Amino acid sequence: MTTTPSATSGIADDSAELLPIATGARTRAALRTLIRPDRGRAVLGLGVLVGATAVGLLVQPLLGRIVDIVADGRPADALTLPVVLLLVVAVVQGVTTTLGLTQVARLGETVLARLREQFIERALQLPADRLERAGAGDLTARVTGDVARVAEAVRSALPEMARSVLAIVLTLGAMALLDIRFLLAALLAVPVQALTARWYVRRAVTVYADQRVANGAQQQQLLETIGGAVTVRGHRLEEQHTEKSAARSRRAVELTMRSVHLVLGFYARLHIAEYIGLAAVLVTGFFLVRDGSVSIGTATAAALYFHSLFGPVNAALVLLDDAQSAAAGLARLVGVTDLKESAVRLPHQRTPSAAAVTVDAVSHAYGPGRTVLHEVSLTLRAGEHVALVGTSGAGKSTLARLVAGVQQPTGGTVSVAAKGEAGPSVVLVTQEVHVFTGTLAEDLRLARPDATDADLRTALANVHALEWAEALPEGLATVVGEGGHRLDPARAQQLALARLVLADPPVAVLDEATAEAGSAGAQTLERSAEAALAGRTALVVAHRLTQAVAADRIVVLEAGRVVEGGTHDELRTADGPYATLWHAWSGSRAAPHL
């Protein structure tokens, strides 16, 4: 059977070993690496936005020109040219801004897609025990909430931030061209804005990082409470789990309210900076006009320039909110994508050997004091079918997962003989089969994307599933999985066995792959498994001893150690653990789960 965390584990999982979070430096380096393949698009988008912003800066001087024309009492037709130019500026700026933002948006979506692919790739390669230590909630929160935060920032904050920063820099440059004293007056607002940004960032990084962790812990608790509801009720743990969920929810709410108060204080300080800057520019304009240094129109243009900075400056600073939240989420994603290859590499060594699989002194522990395998050694010869039997908790599923490569042993090695095939060397089929949403053909092609319909039918026929597959409403085109045609456990298992046939690995591992079938479907499913394993080296965790009888060799595990090995006839007549299991099973057909 597949090892799963107990329903009561939520009571004492505060020590869960969360997946890593990347440092700020590492996150920035990873971001540069993600952008590097699209440098051309980044330069193009930035260049177009610079042009659009520069064209937009002509609005204030043109308005100032109109003010001067009116102040000088010139004829009304003198306004024609500046008004026409304003229209031209609006059209050109609109077109170029659209083009620039489009390029930036495409860049952002491309980088986001690349990040998602890397995250999923690494997440799928993580050893099962590593995920169990972290808890499903941590990974779920990253793949949902953190990805959503980063995606939101890419789609809205990134383009707006780019445009705002360009507008600020170019506008300040334009104010300096009018008169350097206007720029100096405007810069009086900068210290307040800088202190505000520093005050905010120093607090926001911690708040948002803690908020994401709290949300992950809350989600983990809910998953464990709901997933283990039957056990929770059976042990009368409702109050403990409810209090645990409430405590984590309170923590999440507390951090959310801290972020709200942080944002309110942030806005209040920005308004003070705006007042200081605009007052300084207006006073400077008053004295310069009085002294004849500039015209009324020039002073007007300077005031309008500073006023136009309200939007970009506030947007840039306000976007720090989104940026900090997205940065916290990005660091959590990069923490997974940046895991060292050794931390996610499958433990197999592919070596030329007469044996198909060699397990050499393998031990495995799920944590201190939780050792489940003790220096197990096992050899599977090419084409040999070996059945693993033993009572529940003997370590059968753990050994199966180590041989399949989905977990790493804490000691010893697992070696798979190199065969030179392009596909996987080992495929694992468990009793927990997931039927992916899509057509039956698409589900099957997960194992071999280039398979033809004829290949799919051959694989289904091999596992005795073609008849019911073709009887579906639309045959191979029938939508299965969530929201589609429901497949019962036996048919879902046959689908998994058909995938095994399509993948065509030299070694197959079946971890109680027929356990979900009722007694009526057991024989059919066992025939399907036998057909799928034909011509392969196989390790079978036997749920029913009929599977052990059909195996070439039987290995008996007890408390994580190999205690017996041999053929069915040899072990049945010996006075050992297998003989006890066999007599109990064959005598009553109601033996304990094996």
Side-chain angles (χ1 to χ4, degrees):
M1 65 180 181
T2 301
T3 303
T4 57
S6 80
T8 59
S9 62
I11 297 173
D13 63 356
D14 286 334
S15 60
E17 184 185 336
L18 297 180
L19 295 169
I21 299 176
T23 63
R26 179 60 204 133
T27 301
R28 290 189 292 273
L31 188 57
R32 288 194 295 271
T33 301
L34 289 168
I35 294 175
R36 189 171 295 124
D38 295 284
R39 288 184 302 240
R41 177 171 289 167
V43 172
L44 175 62
L46 182 62
V48 175
L49 282 179
V50 169
T53 304
V55 170
L57 292 177
L58 296 174
V59 170
Q60 288 83 355
L62 289 172
L63 291 175
R65 178 62 178 164
I66 292 174
V67 170
D68 282 337
I69 290 173
V70 173
D72 293 342
R74 297 176 61 184
D77 58 2
L79 297 173
T80 303
L81 180 59
V83 170
V84 170
L85 289 176
L86 283 173
L87 293 174
V88 172
V89 167
V91 172
V92 173
Q93 184 184 26
V95 172
T96 52
T97 298
T98 300
L99 292 175
L101 291 179
T102 299
Q103 291 299 319
V104 172
R106 286 180 177 172
L107 171 66
E109 290 294 340
T110 302
V111 170
L112 180 62
R114 195 171 291 131
L115 175 64
R116 280 173 169 159
E117 290 170 359
Q118 291 182 6
F119 180 86
I120 295 298
E121 179 183 1
R122 285 300 169 90
L124 290 175
Q125 292 177 345
L126 284 173
D129 54 343
R130 181 67 182 86
L131 289 177
E132 288 174 1
R133 292 199 304 272
D138 185 33
L139 185 63
T140 302
R142 296 186 192 219
V143 81
T144 54
D146 291 321
V147 168
R149 289 295 179 91
V150 175
E152 183 181 355
V154 164
R155 290 165 184 156
S156 58
L158 177 63
E160 187 62 30
M161 177 69 85
R163 187 170 63 172
S164 297
V165 171
L166 288 173
I168 293 168
V169 173
L170 295 179
T171 299
L172 292 175
M175 292 184 72
L177 290 176
L178 293 177
D179 192 296
I180 191 64
R181 286 168 288 189
F182 286 126
L183 175 61
L184 295 176
L187 292 179
L188 290 177
V190 172
V192 179
Q193 292 167 337
L195 289 173
T196 298
R198 182 183 178 188
W199 172 84
Y200 177 77
V201 169
R202 291 175 64 182
R203 289 161 176 78
V205 171
T206 302
V207 169
Y208 285 117
D210 290 346
Q211 189 177 11
R212 298 307 304 152
V213 171
N215 288 340
Q218 180 190 33
Q219 196 162 12
Q220 172 70 21
Q221 182 62 41
L222 292 174
L223 286 172
E224 291 183 346
T225 299
I226 294 172
V230 174
T231 304
V232 169
R233 288 194 296 268
H235 289 274
R236 299 294 187 267
L237 298 172
E238 295 93 339
E239 290 187 7
Q240 295 180 49
H241 272 254
T242 299
E243 178 54 34
K244 192 82 170 181
S245 299
R248 294 191 172 182
S249 296
R250 284 193 298 270
R251 176 61 176 164
V253 170
E254 175 190 344
L255 289 169
T256 300
M257 293 308 299
R258 282 177 58 188
S259 68
V260 169
H261 288 300
L262 192 63
V263 171
L264 291 176
F266 179 66
Y267 277 115
R269 288 166 173 79
L270 288 185
H271 293 326
I272 294 173
E274 291 172 359
Y275 173 80
I276 293 172
L278 184 57
V281 171
L282 290 173
V283 170
T284 300
F286 170 77
F287 284 109
L288 291 177
V289 171
R290 189 185 67 175
D291 295 342
S293 299
V294 299
S295 67
I296 296 176
T298 301
T300 301
L304 290 174
Y305 269 137
F306 188 81
H307 189 273
S308 71
L309 285 175
F310 287 6
V313 169
N314 287 351
L317 294 177
V318 167
L319 286 174
L320 286 174
D321 180 61
D322 292 335
Q324 294 304 318
S325 180
L330 183 61
R332 284 162 57 81
L333 296 177
V334 172
V336 175
T337 64
D338 202 38
L339 281 172
K340 293 182 179 179
E341 190 69 20
S342 60
V344 295
R345 187 186 300 276
L346 298 184
H348 285 197
Q349 301 175 7
R350 296 188 63 137
T351 56
S353 171
V357 177
T358 302
V359 178
D360 184 17
V362 162
S363 298
H364 190 75
Y366 287 101
R370 297 178 60 198
T371 302
V372 293
L373 292 177
H374 305 270
E375 297 188 353
V376 172
S377 294
L378 176 66
T379 299
L380 277 70
R381 296 182 294 274
E384 184 182 27
H385 291 186
V386 175
L388 279 179
V389 301
T391 57
S392 180
K396 305 185 300 297
S397 290
T398 299
L399 180 58
R401 289 195 287 184
L402 293 177
V403 171
V406 299
Q407 286 184 221
Q408 298 183 43
T410 53
T413 60
V414 177
S415 301
V416 178
K419 294 289 184 179
E421 293 89 349
S425 57
V426 185
V427 168
L428 169 69
V429 180
T430 71
Q431 68 184 65
E432 297 176 354
V433 176
H434 183 74
V435 179
F436 293 88
T437 300
T439 66
L440 181 62
E442 291 171 340
D443 205 307
L444 288 166
R445 286 194 176 97
L446 290 171
R448 204 173 97 202
D450 61 348
T452 64
D453 284 354
D455 293 331
L456 303 184
R457 289 188 173 87
T458 299
L460 289 168
N462 198 322
V463 298
H464 311 290
L466 182 59
E467 183 177 350
W468 64 256
E470 291 188 328
L472 293 175
E474 297 178 60
L476 294 178
T478 302
V479 175
V480 295
E482 186 175 353
H485 187 89
R486 182 182 177 278
L487 299 182
D488 62 39
R491 289 183 175 183
Q493 197 63 256
Q494 284 182 307
L495 176 61
L497 292 171
R499 289 193 203 123
L500 169 65
V501 172
L502 287 167
D504 197 23
V507 179
V509 178
L510 268 58
D511 185 4
E512 298 188 348
T514 64
E516 291 297 322
S519 56
Q523 284 189 329
T524 299
L525 199 50
E526 286 180 11
R527 285 196 304 119
S528 298
E530 183 180 355
L533 296 179
R536 309 180 204 285
T537 305
L539 181 66
V540 180
V541 176
H543 172 67
R544 295 177 174 85
L545 288 189
T546 51
Q547 296 171 289
V549 172
D552 299 318
R553 183 159 53 98
I554 299 168
V555 172
V556 182
L557 284 181
E558 194 171 275
R561 292 181 171 84
V562 175
V563 294
E564 258 189 326
T567 66
H568 168 70
D569 289 336
E570 291 170 348
L571 298 180
R572 181 174 58 85
T573 56
D575 187 18
Y578 181 79
T580 301
L581 291 172
W582 173 255
H583 291 313
W585 185 84
S586 61
S588 65
R589 290 295 195 273
H593 181 64
L594 299 179

